């Protein structure tokens, strides 16, 4: 008799003799080693938190280069293939070499009684400066062409955001620079990641030319704005005053806020909807827990519609749509000169 048969027989004997026994609940999931339904979400949350801590440098992590199968040359080659770009090997190695690594190697060789350290290496300082210039230039021209109605102040704010250390380091971390950068610290700091990514852009420009480099910047840097509201990056101060100046400069009547809807008055759940009109034409609407808040939101909505950065506006062009646009060298209209008449001229063009 098999083991399962003997177990069933013993259970029947105990049941027939009236002996009270404690049975363990057995199921297919337990027999196959499947844990309870809470285990998978729990482990996913732990993994998510671990990745966040590793990214911020709060959790200890070993260098990838410490593994026995590590091959730096192969990793550099695979890095270019993953990005579908052709890099010059020496330039890419230089772009990923931080000055702290050179200083560390110099000290290490001096500790080994090497009088003149043989370090034929250059830091990524020059490539980073060249890459930063390319990023600023292309993003400015691309956004001017993609958002022709956005004032120049808004274009500068978006470019400053894209070229910030936070964005550059996040993009660098996302394309896998953490284990490729040669630096003294590990994991690399956001400053080191940002500098190395700018250097990679500079190395690509020197390897494949400016056209290929601009496509790289568009796909990895400009695309960082996808899903983001430009008005959250460029804070529009005093939207009602700004809307008034634009309407007066354009020959339109001053904005008139009107209450369109309200509910829950004198309660903590009060909601007011206000519309801003000019010459009996609805310019924008907004909601708020107070009338003043709703008026400000309505003016903000009207300004966003004029600048074509509202939620219903066309998204930024990428892919084949971006290939059709012509990069704009001329600055957009500043806020002090912006008017609806110029808006019509731009749209008609």
């Amino acid at each position: 008799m098999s083991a399962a048969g003997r177990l069933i027989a013993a259970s029947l004997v105990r049941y027939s003799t009236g002996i009270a026994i404690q049975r363990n609940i057995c199921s297919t999931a337990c027999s196959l080693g499947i844990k309870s339904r809470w285990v998978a979400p729990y482990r996913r949350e732990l993994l998510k938190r671990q990745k966040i801590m590793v990214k911020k440098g709060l959790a200890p992590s070993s260098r990838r280069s410490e593994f026995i199968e590590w091959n730096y040359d192969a990793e550099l080659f695979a890095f270019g293939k993953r990005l579908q770009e052709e890099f010059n090997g020496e330039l890419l190695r230089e772009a990923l070499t931080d000055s702290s690594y050179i200083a560390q190697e110099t000290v290490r060789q001096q500790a080994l009684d090497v009088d003149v350290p043989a370090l034929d290496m250059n830091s990524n300082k020059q490539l980073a400066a060249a890459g930063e210039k390319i990023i600023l230039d292309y993003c400015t021209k691309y956004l001017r062409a993609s958002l022709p109605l956005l004032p120049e102040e808004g274009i500068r704010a978006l470019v400053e955001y894209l070229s910030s250390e936070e964005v550059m380091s996040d993009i660098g971390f996302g394309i896998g620079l953490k284990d490729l950068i040669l630096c003294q610290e590990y994991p690399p700091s956001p400053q080191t990641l940002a500098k190395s990514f700018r250097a990679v852009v500079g190395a690509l420009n020197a390897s494949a030319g400016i056209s290929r480099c601009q496509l790289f910047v568009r796909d990895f840097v400009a695309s960082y704005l996808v899903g983001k509201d430009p008005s959250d990056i460029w804070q529009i101060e005093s939207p009602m005053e700004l809307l008034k100046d634009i309407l007066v400069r354009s020959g339109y009547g001053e904005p008139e806020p009107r209450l369109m809807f309200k509910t829950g008055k004198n309660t903590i759940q009060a909601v007011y909807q206000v519309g801003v009109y000019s010459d009996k034409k609805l310019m924008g609407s907004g909601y708020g827990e107070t009338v003043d808040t709703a008026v400000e939101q309505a003016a903000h909505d009207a300004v966003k519609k004029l600048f074509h950065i509202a939620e219903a506006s066309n998204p930024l062009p990428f892919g084949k749509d971006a290939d059709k646009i012509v990069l704009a060298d001329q600055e957009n209209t500043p806020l002090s000169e912006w008017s609806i008449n110029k808006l019509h001229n731009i749209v008609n063009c």
Side-chain angles (χ1 to χ4, degrees):
M1 183 182 297
S2 62
R6 289 195 298 270
L7 179 60
I8 295 175
S11 300
L12 292 177
V13 170
R14 292 185 181 182
Y15 179 77
S16 61
T17 56
I19 301 175
I21 59 175
Q22 183 179 359
R23 304 181 185 276
N24 295 325
I25 300 176
C26 182
S27 63
T28 305
C30 293
S31 63
L32 296 178
I34 302 176
K35 306 297 182 180
S36 301
R37 65 180 65 184
W38 59 268
V39 176
Y42 173 72
R43 291 184 175 177
R44 281 196 295 266
E45 181 64 22
L46 289 181
L47 180 61
K48 177 182 177 182
R49 296 186 182 186
Q50 182 184 8
K51 289 182 178 179
I52 294 175
M53 293 181 66
V54 170
K55 183 177 180 180
K56 293 183 178 181
L58 301 178
S61 58
S62 58
R63 292 176 180 262
R64 182 66 179 85
S65 57
E66 295 177 356
F67 290 79
I68 191 173
E69 74 278 7
W70 176 258
N71 187 323
Y72 191 65
D73 293 331
E75 293 292 336
L76 292 182
F77 180 80
F79 173 76
K81 294 304 178 181
R82 285 197 303 270
L83 300 180
Q84 299 182 3
E85 302 291 349
E86 294 295 334
F87 288 94
N88 179 285
E90 296 299 326
L91 289 176
L92 182 58
R93 183 184 293 270
E94 179 180 339
L96 298 175
T97 303
D98 190 70
S99 58
S100 62
Y101 178 79
I102 300 178
Q104 180 186 23
E105 288 298 308
T106 302
V107 172
R108 188 177 67 86
Q109 292 193 18
Q110 289 177 350
L112 297 175
D113 296 334
V114 178
D115 297 332
V116 182
L119 289 176
D120 188 14
M121 305 176 68
N122 297 321
S123 67
N124 56 8
K125 182 178 180 180
Q126 294 183 353
L127 288 177
E132 183 179 12
K133 183 178 179 181
I134 294 173
I135 292 173
L136 292 174
D137 181 70
Y138 179 79
C139 288
T140 301
K141 295 179 179 179
Y142 169 79
L143 291 175
R144 285 174 181 170
S146 303
L147 302 172
L149 301 180
L150 186 65
E152 186 64 20
E153 291 84 348
I155 297 295
R156 293 175 182 174
L158 294 179
V159 173
E160 182 179 357
Y161 169 74
L162 289 176
S163 59
S164 64
E165 180 181 288
E166 179 183 1
V167 174
M168 293 286 97
S169 62
D170 192 35
I171 298 175
F173 182 86
I175 63 176
L177 293 183
K178 186 189 75 169
D179 293 308
L180 297 178
I181 298 176
L182 298 178
C183 60
Q184 183 177 4
E185 58 190 357
Y186 189 85
S189 63
Q191 296 84 355
T192 304
L193 279 169
K195 183 180 179 181
S196 298
F197 176 76
R198 297 188 184 103
V200 168
V201 175
L204 179 60
N205 176 51
S207 302
I210 188 63
S211 299
R212 191 68 188 178
C213 185
Q214 288 179 343
L215 293 179
F216 180 84
V217 174
R218 184 191 70 188
D219 294 340
F220 287 94
V221 180
S223 62
Y224 203 84
L225 292 175
V226 173
K228 295 180 175 59
D229 188 353
S231 62
D232 292 338
I233 301 173
W234 176 46
Q235 299 293 335
I236 302 176
E237 300 180 357
S238 304
M240 181 58 75
E241 294 297 328
L242 176 59
L243 179 62
K244 180 180 178 181
D245 294 341
I246 292 175
L247 293 176
V248 172
R249 192 181 304 120
S250 306
Y252 287 74
E254 294 188 1
E256 300 178 7
R258 299 179 183 178
L259 184 63
M260 303 173 63
F261 173 81
K262 65 178 180 180
T263 183
K265 184 180 179 181
N266 298 328
T267 67
I268 60 175
Q269 295 181 339
V271 177
Y272 298 89
Q273 182 185 14
V274 172
V276 175
Y277 292 81
S278 176
D279 295 336
K280 300 181 180 181
K281 180 181 179 181
L282 179 63
M283 304 296 295
S285 61
Y287 295 87
E289 62 276 7
T290 63
V291 176
D292 294 338
T293 303
V295 170
E296 183 178 358
Q297 293 299 320
H300 195 268
D301 180 61
V303 171
K304 289 172 61 177
K305 288 181 178 179
L306 291 177
F307 295 158
H308 283 200
I309 55 174
E311 294 182 359
S313 301
N314 294 330
L316 291 174
F318 290 102
K320 296 181 179 179
D321 295 333
D323 296 336
K324 301 177 182 178
I325 66 174
V326 180
L327 299 179
D329 294 323
Q330 186 177 1
E331 294 185 358
N332 285 11
T333 305
L335 274 177
S336 58
E337 302 176 6
W338 207 97
S339 67
I340 299 179
N341 299 328
K342 293 187 177 183
L343 178 151
H344 293 316
N345 295 334
I346 294 176
V347 173
N348 293 332
C349 292

